C-alpha cells in the first residue's frame, strides 16, 4: 500500500492514477472527500496533516510526502508524518530545485530542513526537487479571459518549466520501482523559456494574440496583495524569484533518464489546457 499526501493537488491527482495503472494499491489522503475527485480504484482516507493520525500508515509500505505551499506549517506537518512512519520502508519527498541551488528564500529553507528530516528519519528515502510548475501559469487565467494583457514583473527569470504530469510519472516510477533509495533528483522541463516566449506559446495554442507587458515589482506586488495573498507569501515569492534568476533556466536530464522519453513541453501544456483559458 502506498499513502499519497496531497492526493487532490496538482501532482497528486496525476500521481494517484499513475500508481494505480502500475498495479499499486493506493491510499489517497484528503481533508474533504465530498469535494475530492479521487480515482475510484484508490482507497480514500480522510485526515488533516495538522493533526496527523498514525493509523493512516497502517499497512503502508511507501509514502509520498507532499505538503501544500499554502499550508500552516509544512515542516511540522512533514515531521509528524515521519515520526509515525517508523514501520514504512520508503519515503519519497517532494521538495524544490531551490534546495539544489542552496537558495535561502523561505520556501527553499523549509524544504531544506524537511529534506534533512527525511534523510534522518530511518526509512529509505528519495527526494524529488522540481523547478517551477507549468501549472503556475494558470495565474494568467483572468488576464487571458479578460483583455489578453499579461503583466509580468520586470526581471522575471527565464525558466525550464516542468509539467506536473512528468513529476507525477517520476514519483510513480520511484514509488513502484527499485534502485532509487538515497537518490535526490532535480526535475525540470527540457527547455528554458523566457516569460515573453511562454506568453507567445500560450497565445499560439489559443489562436489569439496575447500582449506581454513588464511592470515594476511594486505594481505586481500590489496586484498579488489585492488577490488577498498574505504579505509574507508575496515577499517569499519575490525573494525566490530574485534568488532563482539565472538558475531556473538550467535544464536537468532526469525526467528523460527516469521516464525514457522527452519531458512534456510548455506547448503541450498550453494545448492541453486551452479550453480552460477560453
Ligand atoms: N508551484 C511550483 O512551481 C513549485 C515548484 C517546486 C516545488 N513546489 C512544491 O510543491 C508542493 C505542492 O504545492 P502546492 O501548493 O501547489 O499544492 P497542491 O499539491 O496543488 O495542493 C495542496 C494539496 O495538499 C493537500 N493539503 C493541504 N493542506 C492539507 C492539510 N492540512 N492536511 C492534509 N492535506 C492538505 C490538499 O488536499 P485537500 O485539500 O484535498 O485536503 C491538496 O491535495 C509544495 O511543497 C511546493 O513548495 C512547487
Amino acid at each position: 500500500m502506498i499513502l499519497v499526501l496531497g492526493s487532490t493537488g496538482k501532482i497528486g491527482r496525476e500521481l494517484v492514477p499513475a500508481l494505480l495503472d502500475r498495479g499499486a494499491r493506493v491510499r489517497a489522503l484528503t481533508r474533504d472527500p465530498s469535494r475530492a475527485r479521487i480515482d475510484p480504484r484508490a482507497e480514500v482516507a480522510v485526515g488533516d496533516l495538522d493533526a496527523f493520525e498514525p493509523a493512516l500508515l497502517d499497512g503502508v509500505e511507501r509514502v509520498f510526502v507532499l505538503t501544500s505551499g499554502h499550508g500552516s506549517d509544512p515542516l511540522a506537518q512533514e515531521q509528524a508524518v515521519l515520526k509515525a512512519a517508523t514501520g514504512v520502508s520508503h519515503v519519497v519527498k517532494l521538495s524544490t530545485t531551490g534546495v539544489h541551488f542552496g537558495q535561502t528564500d523561505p520556501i527553499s529553507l523549509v524544504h531544506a530542513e524537511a529534506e534533512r528530516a527525511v534523510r534522518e528519519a530511518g526509512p529509505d528515502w528519495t527526494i524529488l526537487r522540481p523547478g517551477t510548475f507549468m501549472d503556475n501559469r494558470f495565474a494568467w487565467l483572468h488576464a487571458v479571459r479578460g483583455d489578453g494583457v499579461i503583466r509580468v514583473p520586470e526581471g522575471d527569470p527565464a525558466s525550464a518549466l516542468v509539467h506536473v504530469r512528468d513529476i507525477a510519472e517520476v514519483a510513480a516510477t520511484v514509488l513502484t520501482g527499485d534502485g532509487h533509495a538515497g537518490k535526490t533528483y532535480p526535475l525540470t522541463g527540457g527547455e528554458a523559456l523566457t516569460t515573453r516566449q511562454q506568453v507567445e506559446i500560450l497565445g499560439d495554442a489559443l489562436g489569439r494574440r496575447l500582449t506581454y507587458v513588464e511592470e515594476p515589482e511594486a505594481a505586481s506586488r500590489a496586484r498579488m496583495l489585492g488577490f488577498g495573498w498574505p504579505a509574507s507569501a508575496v515577499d517569499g515569492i519575490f525573494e525566490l524569484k530574485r534568488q532563482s534568476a539565472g538558475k531556473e533556466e538550467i535544464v536537468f536530464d532526469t525526467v528523460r533518464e527516469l521516464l525514457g522519453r522527452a519531458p512534456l513541453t510548455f506547448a503541450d501544456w498550453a494545448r492541453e489546457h486551452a479550453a480552460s483559458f477560453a
Side-chain angles (χ1 to χ4, degrees):
M1 177 72 86
I2 299 172
L3 175 66
V4 175
L5 309 185
S7 67
T8 61
K10 301 178 195 79
I11 296 170
R13 60 179 167 248
E14 301 275 359
L15 174 57
V16 169
L19 288 169
L20 292 163
D21 290 346
R22 286 166 167 78
R25 288 191 307 135
V26 174
R27 182 173 296 158
L29 183 73
T30 178
R31 287 165 298 175
D32 184 356
S34 67
R35 274 190 312 118
R37 288 202 304 268
I38 296 172
D39 191 310
R41 296 172 292 169
E43 177 191 315
V44 177
V46 183
D48 192 318
L49 292 173
D50 287 329
F52 186 75
E53 282 293 338
L56 288 165
L57 288 164
D58 286 353
V60 168
E61 292 109 38
R62 294 185 172 200
V63 187
F64 179 67
V65 173
L66 177 148
T67 47
S68 166
H70 311 286
S72 49
D73 187 345
L75 180 58
Q77 291 176 339
E78 295 190 25
Q79 284 169 330
V81 177
L82 292 171
K83 193 170 162 215
T86 45
V88 160
S89 64
H90 197 148
V91 173
V92 177
K93 172 180 161 48
L94 196 285
S95 178
T96 167
T97 44
V99 182
H100 191 84
F101 295 123
Q103 291 172 208
T104 56
D105 60 88
I107 297 168
S108 302
L109 284 179
V110 167
H111 277 302
E113 190 70 22
E115 283 193 12
R116 252 192 304 280
V118 166
R119 291 196 183 93
E120 290 167 3
D124 284 345
W125 53 266
T126 307
I127 291 167
L128 309 182
R129 291 174 171 169
T132 302
F133 300 173
M134 294 178 187
D135 273 15
N136 289 6
R137 299 311 178 236
F138 279 125
W140 296 342
L141 206 67
H142 277 297
V144 172
R145 286 179 181 163
D147 59 8
V149 180
I150 297 182
R151 293 182 172 77
V152 175
E154 277 167 356
D156 217 31
S159 177
L161 299 172
V162 60
H163 196 304
V164 287
R165 195 175 312 121
D166 282 347
I167 304 171
E169 288 286 337
V170 165
T173 300
V174 169
L175 283 161
T176 56
D178 295 323
H180 304 289
K183 301 271 176 66
T184 300
Y185 296 125
L187 303 172
T188 64
E191 59 182 345
L193 297 169
T194 63
T195 317
R196 183 188 290 276
Q197 288 171 319
Q198 296 163 34
V199 170
E200 281 168 9
I201 289 168
L202 182 58
D204 287 347
L206 302 179
R208 57 178 284 216
R209 202 179 122 67
L210 300 175
T211 309
Y212 169 89
V213 176
E214 285 189 7
E215 65 180 6
E217 182 179 312
S220 289
R221 184 180 284 274
R223 252 175 339 100
M224 289 178 183
L225 293 171
F227 297 147
W229 296 9
S232 58
V234 175
D235 288 347
I237 287 169
F238 280 101
E239 186 55 28
L240 188 148
K241 275 181 189 290
R242 253 187 294 284
Q243 294 206 17
S244 61
K247 297 172 186 145
E248 277 217 34
E249 61 198 38
I250 296 171
V251 170
F252 292 94
D253 273 341
T254 31
V255 168
R256 187 188 292 276
E257 286 163 7
L258 290 161
L259 301 184
R261 62 157 174 81
L264 297 167
T265 66
F266 189 63
D268 293 329
W269 182 89
R271 277 191 297 271
E272 184 180 335
H273 296 292
S276 315
F277 281 91

